[in-house]
Amino acid sequence: MSITTEQIVGHWRLLSFLEQRANGSWFDALGPNAPGCISYWPSGHMQVLIGANDRPRFRGEWSNIPDRDKAACIDRMVAYSGRYSLQDDRVLHHVEICWIPNWQGRDLIRKLGFPAADQLLLATEPDPEGRRAMQEVLWQRVC
């Protein structure tokens, strides 16, 4: 089945971010009601930003926050942008800038699904070596 650009173009809000444990069970990796959004534009650009609800809140200037506290904040988020392309039932995110510098210049492949009207499911593919947990991220169309 081929997905068309028109099916994914828009702005989507996060419904759930599930990750698979080693025993095969799934859990909500960022906690309930984690804020997040992903956008796809007709120009072939995309961006995603997700942050767990339990990230620490700070007072004062960012420059005065201890590094360990900043790291805890950033460790519970996802943020990247770049171009995208479609390939059958998959979207390839061509990462140009990312909160994890090692991902810059990489392609992140996500299997696409539409479990309900105005919902988009992005799923990672199984890692044959088992180094990375599988993820399923469910989005609701905003516009």
Side-chain angles (χ1 to χ4, degrees):
M1 170 178 81
S2 286
I3 306 294
T4 65
T5 302
E6 293 76 24
Q7 290 175 278
I8 68 167
V9 163
H11 186 72
W12 305 78
R13 72 175 173 86
L14 182 67
L15 292 180
S16 66
F17 191 111
L18 301 179
E19 194 165 288
Q20 191 175 39
R21 290 187 172 103
N23 68 7
S25 67
W26 291 84
F27 71 102
D28 193 342
L30 298 177
N33 303 312
C37 60
I38 191 167
S39 297
Y40 293 98
W41 288 278
S43 65
H45 292 87
M46 62 79 56
Q47 68 179 18
V48 62
L49 179 61
I50 303 171
N53 271 334
D54 63 357
R55 293 184 315 134
R57 302 292 191 253
F58 305 119
R59 289 181 175 212
E61 296 295 321
W62 184 252
S63 60
N64 294 331
I65 305 299
D67 289 344
R68 71 180 175 284
D69 294 341
K70 290 178 183 178
C73 178
I74 293 171
D75 193 45
R76 302 281 292 148
M77 69 177 297
V78 176
Y80 64 87
S81 69
R83 297 189 60 77
Y84 72 90
S85 59
L86 297 173
Q87 197 173 74
D88 300 320
D89 63 346
R90 288 166 173 69
V91 61
L92 285 70
H93 295 164
H94 310 292
V95 180
E96 295 173 8
I97 187 165
C98 184
W99 96 116
I100 299 176
N102 299 16
W103 285 15
Q104 291 176 190
R106 287 182 48 192
D107 289 344
L108 303 178
I109 302 168
R110 302 294 184 257
K111 187 172 173 65
L112 289 163
F114 302 94
D118 291 326
Q119 288 188 350
L120 172 66
L121 181 65
L122 299 178
T124 58
E125 297 186 323
D127 178 1
E129 297 175 18
R131 295 174 299 182
R132 287 181 306 280
M134 287 186 50
Q135 297 173 339
E136 291 186 349
V137 184
L138 184 60
W139 305 94
Q140 179 72 43
R141 184 183 297 276
V142 175
C143 60

